[in-house]
Amino acid sequence: MRLSRYFLPVLKETPSEAQIASHRLMLRAGMIKQQSAGIYSWLPLGFKVLNRIEQIVNEEQQRAGHIPLLMPTLQSAELWRESGRYDAYGDELLRITDRHKREMLYGPTNEEMITDIFRSHVNSYKDLPLTLYHIQWKFRDEIRPRFGVMRGREFLMKDGYNFDLTKEDALHAYNRHLVSYLRTYERMGLQAIPMRADSGPIGGDDTHEFLVLADTGESEVFYDSEITDLKFGDREIDYDNVEQLQAVLEEFTSRYARTDETHDEAVFAEVPEERRRTARGIEVGQIFYFGTKYSEPMGATVVGPDGARTPVHMGSHGIGVSRLVGAIIEANHDEKGIIWPEGVTPFHVGIVNLKQGDPSVDSACEALYRELTAKGMDVLYDDRDERAGAKFATMDLIGLPWRLTVGPRGLQANKVELTSRRTGESEELSPADAVLRLEKIYLPVFDAAK
Ligand code: P5A
């Protein structure tokens, strides 16, 4: 993409309504525009990041054997009356009446609808296990929408639902989600710690929230510091292997880590004092096992091996896709702007032309742009007729992890400059070597998608 032809409405002023860094930076970098309280348009740069996050989520869900579908945003109140949640959900539920006076709602989650799909089409235990998921907009009429996309009213969620014959099978589905989430967040450059939590309006007893530690997080958390040493890494996982997944669950959940809803001072006191931590965290996902809470009242049953009908065991599993954009920025920024992790960056590299209009510089930039693009990289080429300082400030603000600076002096010695946004360190390389370096840097990112 050539910046001269892109739509990147960066702001010079710091917007006064934004209280936290990620909200400020998303507005300044031209990623979002507020349309109403807690409702945002995603401008091209923000939309690109949102798409990258969606793509990682899709890849990891499908790696775990989960099947994508798409359900609508609007749901009928009837379905929610069947589960008893139409009244129980309270004021967060946006209720709508259509022209025929039929009661509808904008879905805050889809347990009822997926249970309805299941009961319409699945009849036998032989069709289990089954996990279906979608990535779809949700609406929760939050009393205090704030921090930009972090607590929106309209927000994008990946929500998945498992259907199993027995509790044991459903707990394996729970583990599958836990493990796939660990890998998902790590690919985004985040450490998200599974913590024992409360199940709230979704229901059930078994639930973990995934929290990214950040001072601006809305949840208070208590944990054993040893947990932050755990890395998922690139271990080979067989998602059908019950023992392997159970072992990963135990590895990542056996140490003390809880949100304030389930915090227990007495149990916490058993953690050696020097390892006890109290901090704040951003909830970027939550997984639930709730058994037959929806299948029983809604009649989602299968014929079991013994010929008798039995309600299926279910769980649901959510990732806050739009919230993640904010969470990643909270965890990765400095005073100049955003610092994207390579896995989610909107563009892999930015090219800064120091002397637009100089034929040798223009053609070196064009060649780099072509070659990098041919290697599968998304490149943002700043080809505007602007001062170098302004170009650097834009690149720093929008946070591309790597910048190639091309100017007449360097080119005389066949050199361009490759700069890391994170460390600020620069290296002089020939254009050909710069392409090779970038290819090597992004190899693990492209490999992780396979
Ligand atoms: C699990 C999937 C559920 O709704 N039903 C389907 C279950 N879980 S949840 O924890 O309530 O939500 C899942 C994730 O969505 C994000 N989230 C939000 N993001 C932005 N703004 C909001 N107002 C908001 N509310 C929830 C969180 O990341 C949460 O973990």
Side-chain angles (χ1 to χ4, degrees), residues 58-94:
N58 268 313
E59 284 165 6
E60 294 309 325
Q61 284 305 299
Q62 287 170 45
R63 197 193 302 279
H66 305 159
I67 302 167
L69 50 38
L70 184 61
M71 293 176 269
T73 53
L74 295 186
Q75 308 188 21
S76 95
E78 254 339 283
L79 265 184
W80 282 61
R81 289 214 170 85
E82 286 189 49
S83 72
R85 280 208 296 185
Y86 189 65
D87 296 319
Y89 214 93
D91 287 341
E92 267 188 27
L93 191 61
L94 182 65

Side-chain angles (χ1 to χ4, degrees), residues 436-450:
L436 288 176
R437 267 304 304 278
L438 284 163
E439 229 188 326
K440 212 161 141 198
I441 288 167
Y442 279 105
L443 195 66
V445 172
F446 294 155
D447 270 357
K450 287 183 195 147

Side-chain angles (χ1 to χ4, degrees), residues 38 85 89 92 108-111 134 138-142 145-146 148-161 181 185 198-199 201-202 207-210 218 282-288 290 294 315-324:
R85 280 208 296 185
Y89 214 93
E92 267 188 27
T109 175
N110 286 56
E111 279 80 7
H134 70 164
K138 304 286 185 287
F139 196 94
R140 292 183 185 174
D141 204 351
E142 300 275 351
R146 58 179 189 161
V149 300
M150 208 79 100
R151 178 165 297 279
R153 291 200 297 163
E154 190 187 46
F155 61 96
L156 192 59
M157 191 203 287
K158 169 259 148 180
D159 41 324
Y161 305 85
Y181 280 22
Y185 296 121
D198 182 62
S199 66
I202 306 295
T207 182
H208 282 93
E209 280 181 7
F210 287 76
E218 292 191 281
I282 303 167
E283 180 204 325
V284 291
Q286 187 164 3
I287 55 177
F288 303 82
F290 42 68
Y294 300 89
S316 70
H317 317 274
I319 291 182
V321 174
S322 50
R323 174 178 289 181
L324 271 164

Side-chain angles (χ1 to χ4, degrees), residues 34-48:
Q34 183 176 314
Q35 304 294 165
S36 309
I39 302 179
Y40 291 87
S41 289
W42 289 79
L43 305 181
L45 191 75
F47 187 48
K48 243 169 154 351

